[in-house]
């Protein structure tokens, strides 16, 4: 029986039994694998690191989308960087007022996710409100003349093509692509094992945004407990939206969510002290 062994860390790792291999290939940018596991459903890995599983993807995709969208309350244009599996795109398109541009560096991830991980995108790539661009997210924001209300960075870990998405220059360029009062949120690793990502991201965001912080979600297959999602905006009001207002927006959005709700939205910004200690 074959096992997938995650290679993100040297001293600790997790293994998933490979019950059926759907796809394995070195694409132009990274090593892509999609396989089935009896407990997790279909699993996607890139360069030996778990990206997403059918069993727990909803937790991550709902929190990285509905928190900024419902906090903002009037999103018309949204930019996704990365997100090739389509889970972020699927959740964003549930908000009918939003037009989405998604910039993904590796077309093979989209193509193979549509074929072998179909529940993630759930036909979102066919939606007329979705504009898909195959490009490096950094190159796109550097040359972008459009502006967006929300930017969601659903990148890999800062290894390989994903590394540039954690740089100060990238965050500065994203600011130029944000409308007045807009917000950027990003995948920012598991602080218990990647605390330097919190420290580095905070210092970099703080140079360009007046309200930089994190919120959290615990995704079982992102090994090590809580995951931090970075939040940065020049509109402090976005984090002062009341529970009542969020409840109203949540109700009218009719999301049928399985993880997100307004109470957990607000609670997610309450950070453990070991993370707060990095935010000086
Ligand atoms: N949720 C996952 C996580 O937290 O690790 C990430 C999922 S998604 C598969 C990550 C996507 O980022 C991949 O499709 C990868 O191709 C894309 N990506 C990596 N570097 C990129 C870059 N510089 N520009 C655009 N997309 C990039």
């Amino acid at each position: 029986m074959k096992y997938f062994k995650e290679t993100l860390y040297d001293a600790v790792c997790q293994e998933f039994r490979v019950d059926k291999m759907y796809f394995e290939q070195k694409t132009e940018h990274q090593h892509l694998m999609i396989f089935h596991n009896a407990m997790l459903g279909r699993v996607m890995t890139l360069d030996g690191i778990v990206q997403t599983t059918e069993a727990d993807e909803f937790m991550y995709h709902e929190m990285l989308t509905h928190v900024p969208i419902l906090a903002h309350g009037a999103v018309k244009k949204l930019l996704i960087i990365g997100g090739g599996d389509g889970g972020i795109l699927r959740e964003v398109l549930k908000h009918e007022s939003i037009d989405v541009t998604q910039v993904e560096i590796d077309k093979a991830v989209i193509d193979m996710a549509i074929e072998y991980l179909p529940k993630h995108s759930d036909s979102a790539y066919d939606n007329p409100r979705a504009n898909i661009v195959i490009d490096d997210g950094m190159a796109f924001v550097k040359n972008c003349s459009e502006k967006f209300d929300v930017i969601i960075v659903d990148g890999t870990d800062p290894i390989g093509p994903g590394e540039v998405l954690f740089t100060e220059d990238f965050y500065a360029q994203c600011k130029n692509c944000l409308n007045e009062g807009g917000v950027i949120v990003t995948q920012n690793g598991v602080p218990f094992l990647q605390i330097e990502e919190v420290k580095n991201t905070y210092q970099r965001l703080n140079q360009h945004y007046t309200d930089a912080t994190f919120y959290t979600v615990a995704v079982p297959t992102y090994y090590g407990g809580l995951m931090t999602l970075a939040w940065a905006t020049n509109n402090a009001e976005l984090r002062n939206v009341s529970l009542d207002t969020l409840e109203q927006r949540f109700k009218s959005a009719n999301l049928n969510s399985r993880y997100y709700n307004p109470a957990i939205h607000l609670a997610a910004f309450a950070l453990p002290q070991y993370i707060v200690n990095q935010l000086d």
Side-chain angles (χ1 to χ4, degrees):
M1 181 58 67
K2 186 178 172 215
Y3 279 77
F4 158 76
K5 187 172 184 175
E6 188 168 47
T7 58
L8 184 52
Y9 309 104
D10 295 333
V12 294
C13 73
Q14 59 182 345
E15 286 191 349
F16 300 160
R17 193 178 69 207
V18 179
D19 294 311
K20 181 176 181 202
M21 180 63 77
Y22 286 104
F23 182 81
E24 180 169 12
Q25 188 189 63
K26 179 84 179 73
T27 74
E28 185 191 344
H29 297 279
Q30 43 209 346
H31 179 265
L32 169 60
M33 231 166 46
I34 299 176
F35 62 87
H36 189 272
N37 169 276
M39 285 194 84
L40 301 172
R42 297 191 183 196
V43 179
M44 174 193 277
T45 71
L46 286 173
D47 290 340
I49 301 169
V50 173
Q51 297 300 306
T52 189
T53 82
E54 284 182 329
D56 63 4
E57 58 86 8
F58 68 96
M59 306 179 189
Y60 171 84
H61 292 129
E62 290 182 17
M63 286 302 279
L64 200 55
T65 53
H66 305 317
V67 169
I69 292 170
L70 294 182
H72 185 285
V75 178
K76 294 277 181 290
K77 292 185 69 180
L78 186 144
L79 173 63
I80 300 169
I81 305 288
D85 54 77
I88 294 289
L89 184 62
R90 178 198 75 213
E91 288 302 312
V92 170
L93 288 170
K94 286 181 179 175
H95 300 267
E96 289 170 10
S97 65
I98 298 178
D99 287 327
V100 196
T101 295
Q102 176 171 349
V103 183
E104 163 58 54
I105 198 169
D106 195 339
K107 189 172 181 308
V109 176
I110 293 178
D111 294 344
M112 292 308 109
I114 289 170
E115 180 161 0
Y116 297 112
L117 209 61
K119 290 180 189 163
H120 270 62
S121 53
D122 192 22
S123 306
Y125 282 113
D126 299 329
N127 191 307
R129 288 186 285 126
N131 167 39
I132 311 302
V133 175
I134 302 303
D135 195 1
D136 177 348
M138 180 62 170
F140 181 86
V141 294
K142 256 189 177 156
N143 302 308
C144 181
S145 53
E146 278 186 272
K147 288 192 180 286
F148 301 89
D149 301 307
V150 172
I151 299 176
I152 297 175
V153 186
D154 179 25
T156 45
D157 283 89
I159 301 163
E163 194 166 2
V164 70
L165 306 181
F166 289 79
T167 61
E168 182 178 337
D169 188 19
F170 174 70
Y171 297 138
Q173 298 296 342
C174 284
K175 188 177 153 190
N176 299 335
C177 302
L178 271 181
N179 277 323
E180 184 75 22
V183 57
I184 173 175
V185 292
T186 84
Q187 185 279 110
N188 198 78
V190 171
F192 178 64
L193 295 168
Q194 300 171 305
I195 195 69
E196 72 290 346
E197 271 185 43
V198 171
K199 192 175 187 66
N200 294 338
T201 298
Y202 181 70
Q203 285 172 351
R204 293 166 188 165
L205 289 172
N206 229 8
Q207 302 299 315
H208 302 282
Y209 301 86
T210 54
D211 181 23
T213 188
F214 297 88
Y215 60 109
T216 64
V217 56
V219 184
T221 54
Y222 295 155
Y223 183 83
L226 286 178
M227 166 171 266
T228 44
L229 304 175
W231 167 280
T233 178
N234 290 332
N235 177 4
E237 282 315 299
L238 295 183
R239 281 207 294 136
N240 292 326
V241 179
S242 73
L243 181 60
D244 282 353
T245 301
L246 288 175
E247 289 284 7
Q248 285 161 30
R249 292 175 183 174
F250 178 56
K251 194 158 179 282
S252 48
N254 194 25
L255 299 172
N256 297 319
S257 55
R258 297 164 61 199
Y259 188 95
Y260 178 91
N261 62 49
I264 211 160
H265 173 142
L266 295 176
F269 284 91
L271 299 174
Q273 196 56 40
Y274 78 96
I275 296 176
V276 172
N277 291 342
Q278 300 300 321
L279 311 186
D280 57 14

